[in-house]
Amino acid sequence: MDERSFRNAMGTFPTGVTVITTKVGSDVHGMTANAFMSVSLNPQLLLISIDEKASMLDKIRQTNRFGLSILADHQLDFSMHFAGQKKKDQDIKFDWVNGMPVIPDALAQIACTVEKTFVAGDHTLFLGKADHIVMNEGEAPLIFYKGNYQSLKL
Ligand code: FAD
């Protein structure tokens, strides 16, 4: 099976869209990610998967902390920006949760501390403990399906 077939098959699983963030010194860095899952309620754990080529990887290794923002459907621009799909530089104003930068008005803004790290093929999995969560309710989520953005109107 080739890489394209695998990617196409995985793309038939619809996901939400998140922006992962961290802060190294005074520099904030963000990247779009849909490889995210809730893992455990007690303790409250979640998992993200970061490509070995992403500059985010070394940054989370350095800080051992990250922010995770679950995007609403009106936040497509943030997703495209933090996936490097927009040409223009943009000055982003972040919210802050427990010392971690997060995306303003995201459906959920979560500050995490890395509990465990697993290298898995060409990605690294970070198991994060949720230190603090802020919910901003009342919007539909941004959806990613078969390589395209969708909206789930509730
Ligand atoms: P860069 O490519 O350098 O940064 C990403 C973009 O964010 C750049 O445009 C940069 O200018 C901008 N940026 C970063 N920080 C700031 C800041 N402080 N202020 C303003 N702009 C800033 N990759 C994975 O590894 N795992 C996934 O789960 C995953 N899921 C994805 C889901 C979707 C829907 C999409 C579209 C992409 C996904 N990617 C995923 C790919 C990933 O988002 C891109 O490869 C991304 O460019 C990798 O980011 P980077 O850390 O290498 O940094």
Side-chain angles (χ1 to χ4, degrees):
M1 186 214 325
D2 63 12
E3 207 174 288
R4 172 52 56 191
S5 306
F6 183 76
R7 191 187 274 263
N8 288 344
M10 296 302 109
T12 62
F13 187 66
T15 67
V17 181
T18 76
V19 173
I20 310 291
T21 36
T22 198
K23 178 171 169 272
V24 184
S26 58
D27 291 337
V28 172
H29 184 75
M31 70 160 261
T32 301
N34 67 343
F36 154 66
M37 67 182 283
S38 165
V39 172
S40 160
L41 277 177
N42 184 20
Q44 292 161 357
L45 300 173
L46 55 85
L47 193 75
I48 58 171
S49 176
I50 308 287
D51 193 321
E52 64 186 3
K53 293 192 285 294
S55 49
M56 180 58 90
L57 180 58
D58 272 350
K59 294 178 195 294
I60 298 182
R61 283 189 184 283
Q62 279 179 61
T63 60
N64 227 35
R65 296 198 70 206
F66 61 90
L68 185 140
S69 304
I70 300 177
L71 298 185
D73 64 353
H74 63 86
Q75 297 187 304
L76 173 64
D77 275 1
F78 279 119
S79 178
M80 294 185 70
H81 177 76
F82 286 106
Q85 293 171 330
K86 291 202 141 186
K87 291 285 171 260
K88 272 193 282 178
D89 271 357
Q90 220 174 310
D91 193 17
I92 310 270
K93 195 176 174 312
F94 294 90
D95 281 354
W96 292 86
V97 172
N98 208 22
M100 278 295 100
V102 287
I103 302 298
D105 296 327
L107 295 181
Q109 303 164 318
I110 310 172
C112 301
T113 301
V114 174
E115 286 257 315
K116 285 192 178 146
T117 302
F118 312 87
V119 176
D122 56 11
H123 278 58
T124 295
L125 311 180
F126 290 104
L127 185 69
K129 181 175 170 304
D131 300 321
H132 198 83
I133 295 181
V134 174
M135 298 283 295
N136 300 299
E137 300 206 33
E139 295 282 353
L142 183 61
I143 302 288
F144 198 67
Y145 175 62
K146 288 189 173 178
N148 291 308
Y149 293 102
Q150 315 270 344
S151 170
L152 174 68
K153 283 291 175 207
L154 300 176

